[in-house]
Amino acid sequence: MNVSYEGIGAWSATFETADAREGQVVKLSAPRTVSLCTAGDAFCGVAGPVRGGVCGVQLGGLAEVSYTGTAPGVGSIILTADGSGGVCTAESGTAYWVLAVDESAGRCVIKL
């Protein structure tokens, strides 16, 4: 993408995890604990580096994530987890602001 949104408004919190992977969307699975999403899950943020069973999770701001399926449009778009660490469009769920889509890379910028 020619315009960078990296880090704008980003804020994170630390959570315990057994399976989170950096750059993938995660869900709250227990108090103070996140895990990878399965297809159709609502996600709470994007995992940062994982060390010693904990990771930072970006909970707000602009984040670049992968997507599968039909490329999301820009604007307020309903997204869920795609089951492979990214997102996909859905008929119901939470709407996110999609600011940019890179179809050749299969990535989009969303406001968490």
Side-chain angles (χ1 to χ4, degrees), residues 19 25-29 35-45 78-84 86-88 90 92-94 96:
D19 64 355
V25 295
V26 293
K27 63 183 176 183
L28 193 61
S29 55
S35 62
L36 289 175
C37 294
T38 57
D41 282 345
F43 55 93
C44 68
I78 297 172
L79 300 173
T80 61
D82 66 6
S84 61
V87 300
C88 61
S92 63
T94 303
Y96 294 86

Side-chain angles (χ1 to χ4, degrees), residues 14-63:
T14 302
F15 292 87
E16 296 176 351
T17 187
D19 64 355
R21 293 188 197 102
E22 184 173 0
Q24 297 191 343
V25 295
V26 293
K27 63 183 176 183
L28 193 61
S29 55
R32 298 177 296 280
T33 305
V34 293
S35 62
L36 289 175
C37 294
T38 57
D41 282 345
F43 55 93
C44 68
V46 180
V50 180
R51 291 187 182 90
V54 297
C55 71
V57 176
Q58 182 180 346
L59 299 170
L62 304 183

Side-chain angles (χ1 to χ4, degrees), residues 66-85:
S66 64
Y67 71 86
T68 56
T70 302
V74 294
S76 182
I77 307 294
I78 297 172
L79 300 173
T80 61
D82 66 6
S84 61

